[in-house]
Amino acid sequence: MYLFTRTAHGRRKTSARAVLTTGITTVLAITVAGCSGSSAPEVDPDAADGWSQDFAGTELNVLAEATLNSEILAQLAPEFTEKTGIEVNIETAPFAQLVQSVTLDFSTAQGDYDVVSIPYDYLGAYAGSDYVEEITPLIEENDDKVGEDFDQDDIIPGLWETAATWDGKSYGMPSNSAVTMMMYRADLFENADEKAAFAAEYGYDLAPAQTWAQYRDIAEFFTRDAGETLAGDTLSEAMYGVTMAGKRHEAAVFEWMNYAGGFGGGVVDADGELIVDSDASVESLEYMKSLGEFAPPGFTSATWDEVTANLQQGIAAQAISWGDTAGAMEDESQSAVVGKIGYADVPVETEGDEHHALHGAWTYTISKQAVDKNAAYLFVAWALSESVQKQIGEMGGVPATRAAFEDPELVASLPSWPQQLLSLENALARPRNAEWPQILDQLALQVSTALVGDSTPQKALQDAQTEIEGILGDKLPLKAF
């Protein structure tokens, strides 16, 4: 495995120990077989497919979140090297460690990473600090160096605006299209006995929830103890009506924001005013806390990892989760619910209201310290090319292009595909101002405080509002970027 850092000659080489001290877990590093860090790979012009080989011999370090998308890209990276002669080393880390390491690398100008996939809500913090390159000049400069299967206009428009644009300029390209949706046990919802029992108890037909009131009814209905019957079978372990993330963590904040959006609350309103302690926001957190009665024990220590595992294990009937976990639901090697999960819109407060999901997209950014910014751009463009995006979809990841989401073969084989695209088209973005990291920390603290019962939802969100007002100062109302 090759790990590289900058030297006086623009090349890189360092030990794994140096990387680990930043908190990074390095799980993937891709080079071309037979090549070393001291000699450029041989270039085959016939393999280029329109991609420039002007930067052959360049070595790029890429840092991304530890997700299936990153694994897939690492598997495909040798194809990029074959076309361009550019070597790529892909390192991955969990969300929190990645943000910590990126911030350290950028703020100290270490230059350990050329391309970094960042959470889009950190774009303001990094672009505003002049850590990342504006992408538009690189697009224009390298127009004749990218292959014909890259079309920037095919990237889903909402992702461009959410994930890449800051203060009127583009500072990267969407690296994935993570978006929230509702996941539910379609097999249980369609069971005749369960349908009859639900209608008898609640007075309406069992179906995927359209409203939060229905979502709570369904959570209550499917919560059962071991020994009770579910769909004609005796349960050997408890069944829960919902699974959710409640840990003091970004996951709990994002979970709450889904409820808040449905109730008309959230962090800021359309005018940029802070509404963290609004009546609608408080009501949504009270509602979230009430669902805990029907969630697995310990939900206040759970993040999205536990939510995914609970759904896979078949011990929860529904959840608000991320679309990029849908592949895990359909993976026979790790899921007990293959073919049993349905996908639908995030519920709303009142039937007939407009449904909204939550954007969770990430952004490919090019560091100001990149060893070669043009080579780095070529990698980003290749990762978003039609052939790569389709392979990402085929292998269980989530692409960022409309062509991939509308590909007939993928649509036929991926049951979540239509809902993911629909959710992307109505998703709301989190704030992306430079102070978002501090705001996120404060929200994680106060949402957790309410969920564990150390404070009421109203007091917790009032405290959050006060602290965030102090963080933002005279920057309120927030400017829409």
Side-chain angles (χ1 to χ4, degrees):
M1 179 172 67
Y2 295 95
L3 305 177
F4 296 93
T5 54
R6 184 150 343 268
T7 71
H9 304 290
R11 306 277 297 174
R12 303 175 173 194
K13 206 162 196 177
T14 190
S15 66
R17 179 180 179 183
V19 175
L20 291 173
T21 58
T22 68
I24 288 290
T25 301
T26 303
V27 297
L28 302 169
I30 304 300
T31 58
V32 177
C35 298
S36 71
S38 60
S39 61
E42 293 184 8
V43 173
D44 179 5
D46 294 333
D49 291 335
W51 293 89
S52 174
Q53 297 181 340
D54 291 352
F55 312 108
T58 304
E59 297 164 348
L60 298 176
N61 272 7
V62 178
L63 178 61
E65 190 188 18
T67 63
L68 182 56
N69 262 43
S70 300
E71 285 186 34
I72 295 168
L73 200 63
Q75 292 179 48
L76 300 178
E79 297 178 12
F80 174 70
T81 304
E82 183 180 6
K83 295 177 186 298
T84 65
I86 300 170
E87 295 185 57
V88 182
N89 310 289
I90 297 182
E91 299 176 14
T92 69
F95 182 102
Q97 287 179 308
L98 180 142
V99 170
Q100 178 185 20
S101 296
V102 171
T103 302
L104 176 64
D105 188 63
F106 283 167
S107 63
T108 59
Q110 289 178 185
D112 285 342
Y113 305 107
D114 303 291
V115 177
V116 179
S117 178
I118 64 169
Y120 75 84
D121 34 2
Y122 283 72
L123 187 63
Y126 295 152
S129 299
D130 199 32
Y131 293 154
V132 295
E133 287 286 336
E134 184 184 354
I135 202 79
T136 306
L138 293 173
I139 294 174
E140 296 171 350
E141 185 175 348
N142 294 284
D143 181 61
D144 61 343
K145 293 182 173 62
V146 298
E148 293 182 0
D149 64 340
F150 170 68
D151 180 4
Q152 69 182 77
D153 293 333
D154 189 40
I155 297 172
I156 295 171
L159 290 178
W160 264 114
E161 181 179 350
T162 298
T165 303
W166 174 255
D167 202 11
K169 298 179 181 179
S170 294
Y171 288 93
M173 290 185 178
S175 58
N176 71 43
S177 55
V179 68
T180 57
M181 63 181 68
M182 182 171 67
M183 299 183 184
Y184 64 95
R185 282 287 299 278
D187 61 323
L188 300 181
F189 280 57
E190 295 164 2
N191 180 271
D193 292 341
E194 298 297 338
K195 289 170 70 73
F198 184 89
E201 184 170 350
Y202 295 94
Y204 62 93
D205 291 337
L206 176 61
Q210 289 292 308
T211 68
W212 290 121
Q214 294 168 359
Y215 191 77
R216 192 182 189 283
D217 284 348
I218 292 167
E220 180 181 57
F221 175 71
F222 278 116
T223 299
R224 306 188 190 175
D225 293 329
E228 292 188 65
T229 300
L230 177 67
D233 296 324
T234 300
L235 291 168
S236 59
E237 59 181 333
M239 179 71 180
Y240 300 95
V242 67
T243 178
M244 54 199 295
K247 184 177 180 177
R248 181 178 170 180
H249 186 273
E250 295 89 349
V253 178
F254 302 157
E255 173 114 9
W256 166 67
M257 290 181 74
N258 278 283
Y259 305 120
F263 278 88
V267 181
V268 294
D269 63 15
D271 297 320
E273 298 290 353
L274 204 60
I275 57 169
V276 171
D277 67 349
S278 67
D279 290 345
S281 294
V282 171
E283 184 180 4
S284 68
L285 186 54
E286 290 172 342
Y287 172 84
M288 179 181 178
K289 183 177 181 180
S290 77
L291 289 177
E293 180 181 351
F294 315 114
F299 85 92
T300 54
S301 298
T303 70
W304 40 61
D305 291 337
E306 287 76 21
V307 169
T308 299
N310 289 336
L311 286 172
Q312 285 180 307
Q313 293 164 11
I315 65 169
Q318 58 185 358
I320 306 302
S321 192
W322 293 101
D324 59 357
T325 68
M329 301 301 132
E330 309 300 335
D331 184 347
E332 294 183 356
S333 70
Q334 57 177 298
S335 175
V337 293
V338 175
K340 297 179 180 180
I341 297 291
Y343 306 92
D345 282 321
V346 174
V348 293
E349 183 178 20
T350 303
E351 198 155 359
D353 289 351
E354 185 178 0
H355 292 273
H356 287 296
L358 182 67
H359 266 306
W362 287 58
T363 308
Y364 286 124
T365 59
I366 297 174
S367 170
K368 285 281 188 177
Q369 305 296 319
V371 65
D372 191 312
K373 299 174 180 63
N374 292 306
Y377 168 71
L378 252 63
F379 172 77
V380 172
W382 168 82
L384 287 161
S385 64
E386 182 175 354
S387 60
V388 172
Q389 289 287 293
K390 181 171 182 177
Q391 288 181 84
I392 286 175
E394 289 172 336
M395 298 169 73
V398 286
T401 61
R402 182 171 292 278
F405 275 110
E406 294 180 343
D407 183 273
E409 294 179 0
L410 293 178
V411 171
S413 62
L414 297 168
S416 69
W417 233 231
Q419 182 59 51
Q420 290 204 56
L421 184 56
L422 182 62
S423 292
L424 284 167
E425 291 174 341
N426 66 33
L428 301 175
R430 304 189 289 265
R432 297 173 297 152
N433 55 298
E435 294 78 17
W436 173 250
Q438 299 108 286
I439 294 173
L440 182 59
D441 285 345
Q442 184 58 218
L443 288 172
L445 168 63
Q446 297 301 344
V447 168
S448 171
T449 297
L451 294 179
V452 300
D454 289 343
S455 182
T456 65
Q458 183 176 36
K459 177 66 164 56
L461 292 184
Q462 286 174 343
D463 288 347
Q465 175 98 3
T466 300
E467 291 296 326
I468 294 170
E469 286 174 343
I471 291 169
L472 292 172
D474 61 3
K475 293 184 179 180
L476 284 169
L478 289 181
K479 181 179 177 182
F481 288 100

